[in-house]
């Protein structure tokens, strides 16, 4: 039953006693940020009570957590406490408002954030605290994260698991629960930062790694939070990009830094785990867009297929039709030294054939593609896939292998019949939102750029698990 406003009030003396006894509570100051910065109760955090916070933050606060709201005068916090109480929260307000407080105060802002790009640079130096529920955490996480669900963060024994000699970064899908967690940690005297945009934002970090630096240069651009890989291949000041990712502006920045011009953009196939940035990158740079003629796109491009040849700078690209993951998948051989295999052949495994609901037929195609096309390339051909698994170790901070190494992968030394039986028998979760992503990449559904982080959240799940 909802409490009345009178019972929701807490006096300055009562609050001071709760703080002195270090009772678990969240102290939200609803005044203007400028007033908060001048002076606020030690241990409180500045909070904005608007429609977004009601929908995204209040609903994530554990029902048994005591909340005290502060305003000046008390009217706004009194009204907000009543509203929060109606949602089942243990909410209270400081009677008399901030003016009634005679206890310890401090200045400045609390509630710091860290951008995904900055976090990527200091992963070894921080304590990653993921406050999602255990079942959410088991689906995917940033490697090295510690999972303590938000509802357990108000227990002293649980708080003792959090180190005080490392910077703590709180994590959740979009940053809302993580923000509440940072508030709770602040009350316990533990400084922390909230990951901006949460895991959805983390999945948008792109990291360039230079792999080949000869007459032909190869830069691998990694989407670190998702295991997606794309490649820039440059020759004589001209460059092509294979399977570009969002944010596509990163490739333009790299091209400027390296002093080459992006003239061609390719996709190996219609991706199911991430939104292709090929169209936007080609449009922004004036580059030519190349897509598989076997995939059935609903927009214009240069459609290419098996045995087509394309040159850029002093380099040459040869197209191989490599069905199996999708019926129209292509692989690209550059200078007969490098092969870009999309989702057909990975460092650790092979592409899964079941994302278009024709698993048995596509598995036969996959077997034929591997044995009759890709594995017949020269043993020293370098293999550059479009994904890697979570547990794959990198070579010099990059992900690649050779045809010789690929021949040693599981299930590539068995008969076609046994291969089909084993692969078709595998059941594995599909990429989150994969049907919508395919529809967007095909051109049937207009892309809303603000939706990309949410569409791409989660692991790529494009490989067969042959372990």
């Amino acid at each position: 039953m909802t409490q009345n406003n009178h019972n929701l009030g807490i006096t300055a003396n009562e609050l001071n006693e709760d703080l002195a006894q270090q009772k678990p509570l969240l102290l939200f100051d609803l005044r203007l940020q400028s007033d908060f910065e001048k002076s606020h109760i030690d241990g409180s955090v500045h909070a904005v009570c608007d429609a977004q916070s009601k929908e995204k933050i209040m609903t994530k606060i554990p029902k048994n957590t005591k909340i005290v709201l502060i305003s000046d005068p008390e009217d706004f916090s009194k009204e907000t406490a009543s509203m929060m109480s109606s949602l089942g929260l243990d909410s209270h307000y400081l009677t008399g408002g901030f003016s009634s407080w005679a206890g310890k105060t401090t200045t400045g802002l609390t509630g710091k954030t860290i951008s995904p790009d900055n976090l990527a640079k200091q992963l070894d130096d921080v304590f990653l605290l993921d406050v999602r529920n255990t079942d959410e955490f088991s689906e995917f996480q940033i490697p090295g994260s510690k999972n303590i669900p938000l509802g357990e963060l108000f227990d002293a024994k649980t708080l003792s698991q959090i180190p005080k000699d490392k910077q703590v970064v709180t994590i959740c899908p979009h940053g809302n629960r993580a923000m509440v967690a940072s508030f709770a940690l602040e009350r316990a005297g533990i400084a922390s930062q909230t990951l901006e945009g949460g895991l959805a934002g983390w999945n948008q970090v792109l990291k360039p790694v230079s792999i080949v630096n000869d007459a032909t240069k190869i830069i691998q651009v990694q989407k670190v939070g998702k295991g997606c890989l794309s490649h820039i291949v440059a020759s004589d000041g001209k460059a092509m990009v294979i399977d570009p990712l969002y944010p596509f502006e990163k490739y333009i920045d790299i091209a400027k830094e390296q002093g080459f011009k992006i003239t061609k953009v390719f996709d190996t196939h219609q991706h199911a785990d991430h939104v292709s940035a090929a169209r936007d990158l080609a449009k922004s740079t004036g580059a030519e867009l190349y897509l598989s003629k076997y995939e059935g796109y609903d927009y214009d491009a240069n459609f290419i297929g098996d045995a087509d040849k394309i040159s850029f700078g002093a380099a040459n690209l040869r197209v191989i039709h490599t069905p199996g993951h999708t019926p129209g998948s292509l692989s690209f051989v550059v200078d007969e030294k490098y092969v870009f295999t999309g989702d057909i052949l990975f460092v650790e495994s092979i592409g899964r054939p079941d994302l278009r609901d024709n698993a048995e037929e596509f598995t036969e195609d996959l077997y034929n593609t591997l044995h009759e096309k890709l594995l017949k390339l020269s043993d020293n051909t370098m293999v550059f896939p479009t994904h890697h698994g979570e547990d794959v170790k990198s070579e010099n901070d990059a992900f690649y292998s050779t045809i010789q190494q690929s021949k040693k992968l599981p299930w590539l030394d068995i008969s076609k019949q046994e291969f089909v039986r084993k692969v078709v028998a595998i059941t594995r979760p599909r990429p989150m939102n994969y049907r919508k992503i395919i529809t967007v990449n095909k051109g049937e559904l207009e892309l809303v750029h603000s939706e990309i982080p949410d569409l791409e959240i989660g692991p790529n799940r494009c490989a067969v698990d042959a372990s």
Side-chain angles (χ1 to χ4, degrees):
M1 180 179 294
T2 303
Q3 304 176 59
N4 61 46
N5 285 352
H6 176 74
N7 293 334
L8 298 180
I10 178 173
T11 67
N13 286 337
E14 291 171 330
L15 177 58
N16 200 30
E17 186 175 337
D18 283 349
L19 294 175
Q21 295 177 11
Q22 295 187 324
K23 290 185 177 180
L25 58 83
L26 292 173
L27 198 55
F28 291 153
D29 193 316
L30 306 182
R31 295 176 300 150
L32 294 175
Q33 180 175 309
S34 56
D35 293 332
F36 177 85
E37 289 187 62
K38 289 176 184 176
S39 179
H40 57 266
I41 298 173
D42 193 28
S44 66
V45 292
H46 182 254
V48 177
C49 184
D50 55 16
Q52 184 180 37
S53 63
K54 290 177 185 177
E55 176 186 353
K56 294 187 175 182
I57 298 180
M58 291 182 189
T59 56
K60 304 300 183 183
I61 300 176
K63 296 290 193 291
N64 60 350
T65 301
K66 185 175 182 179
I67 303 163
V68 179
L69 306 177
I70 304 161
S71 63
D72 207 22
E74 70 177 33
D75 304 52
F76 183 50
S77 57
K78 183 176 182 180
E79 177 187 337
T80 305
S82 179
M83 179 272 294
M84 293 175 69
S85 179
S86 71
L87 297 175
L89 295 171
D90 183 16
S91 57
H92 305 266
Y93 67 95
L94 177 62
T95 58
F98 180 74
S99 300
S100 70
W101 182 253
K104 187 177 179 181
T105 61
T106 188
T107 60
L109 273 177
T110 55
K112 297 178 180 178
T113 62
I114 183 170
S115 72
D117 285 298
N118 284 336
L119 177 60
K121 298 173 185 175
Q122 35 185 300
L123 277 179
D124 294 334
D125 304 318
V126 298
F127 180 81
L128 302 174
L129 177 59
D130 193 314
V131 298
R132 293 175 295 161
N133 296 332
T134 303
D135 58 340
E136 295 176 278
F137 181 79
S138 65
E139 283 284 310
F140 67 98
Q141 64 284 139
I142 300 176
S145 300
K146 170 74 173 177
N147 180 221
I148 302 178
L150 179 61
E152 299 176 16
L153 262 188
F154 300 86
D155 177 75
K157 185 177 180 181
T158 301
L159 288 171
S160 67
Q161 302 176 35
I162 301 173
K164 293 195 168 56
D165 59 345
K166 271 196 168 187
Q167 175 62 54
V168 177
V169 177
T170 58
I171 302 164
C172 72
H174 297 94
N176 303 308
R177 272 178 278 179
M179 186 179 296
V180 175
S182 286
F183 293 165
L185 295 177
E186 180 79 20
R187 280 286 308 117
I190 301 173
S192 66
Q193 295 174 295
T194 297
L195 176 60
E196 292 175 9
L199 289 165
W202 174 250
N203 271 1
Q204 300 305 301
V205 176
L206 296 183
K207 172 187 173 183
V209 178
S210 181
I211 304 174
V212 176
N213 196 25
D214 296 328
T216 297
K217 302 178 186 297
I218 299 178
I219 300 171
Q220 187 174 82
V221 183
Q222 307 167 356
K223 184 161 270 195
V224 297
K226 196 172 179 65
C228 296
L229 306 172
S230 59
H231 296 88
I232 303 172
V233 187
S235 172
D236 277 0
K238 304 288 181 64
M240 66 173 185
V241 181
I242 299 172
D243 292 326
L245 304 153
Y246 282 99
F248 72 88
E249 294 87 355
K250 183 70 172 181
Y251 300 88
I252 299 173
D253 292 341
I254 294 170
K256 288 179 180 177
E257 291 170 6
Q258 296 289 329
F260 50 69
K261 178 177 176 57
I262 296 172
T263 59
K264 301 181 189 300
V265 176
F266 296 78
D267 261 349
T268 53
H269 64 288
Q270 283 175 14
H271 302 282
D273 68 300
H274 69 267
V275 180
S276 168
R279 278 186 288 173
D280 275 344
L281 181 59
K283 182 179 179 180
S284 180
T285 59
E288 296 176 308
L289 176 61
Y290 293 86
L291 303 172
S292 171
K293 69 181 181 182
Y294 312 110
E295 293 276 58
Y297 289 91
D298 283 357
Y299 52 90
D300 291 332
N302 297 293
F303 293 108
I304 54 176
D306 199 49
D308 283 344
K309 295 182 179 180
I310 299 160
S311 62
F312 61 100
N316 294 290
L317 176 148
R318 177 168 61 89
V319 180
I320 308 176
H321 181 208
T322 49
H325 178 66
T326 72
S329 291
L330 303 177
S331 293
F332 305 126
V333 180
V334 174
D335 292 341
E336 302 303 323
K337 292 171 153 184
Y338 318 108
V339 61
F340 299 85
T341 55
D343 290 4
I344 290 293
L345 181 60
F346 301 119
V347 171
E348 79 286 11
S349 186
I350 54 177
R352 62 188 294 179
D354 62 328
L355 295 181
R356 300 303 196 279
D357 302 320
N358 291 306
E360 188 164 347
E361 175 191 345
F362 287 5
T363 302
E364 289 191 20
D365 289 340
L366 178 62
Y367 182 92
N368 293 334
T369 283
L370 291 167
H371 288 276
E372 297 175 12
K373 296 182 178 181
L374 292 178
L375 296 183
K376 286 191 174 181
L377 294 171
S378 171
D379 276 357
N380 60 2
T381 302
M382 295 179 69
V383 177
F384 297 99
T386 298
H387 297 104
H388 69 84
E390 293 179 13
D391 300 324
V392 179
K393 294 182 179 179
S394 63
E395 292 283 344
N396 302 319
D397 212 23
F399 300 88
Y400 59 91
S401 62
T402 64
I403 291 297
Q404 185 177 34
Q405 292 170 319
S406 298
K407 289 177 179 179
K408 299 175 184 177
L409 291 174
W411 299 358
L412 294 185
D413 58 350
I414 59 179
S415 68
K416 180 190 288 190
Q417 184 178 7
E418 187 178 2
F419 180 87
V420 172
R421 180 181 61 79
K422 282 179 173 288
V423 173
V424 170
I426 292 175
T427 57
R428 189 184 181 202
R430 299 183 178 191
M432 298 178 180
N433 306 309
Y434 80 102
R435 291 193 184 277
K436 186 171 182 179
I437 290 174
I438 291 171
T439 306
V440 168
N441 286 337
K442 186 175 182 179
E444 291 180 341
L445 183 66
E446 184 178 355
L447 173 61
V448 179
H449 287 79
S450 61
E451 294 180 355
I452 292 174
D454 282 339
L455 280 176
E456 294 187 341
I457 197 166
N460 61 69
R461 293 175 176 162
C462 287
V464 165
D465 183 2
S467 59

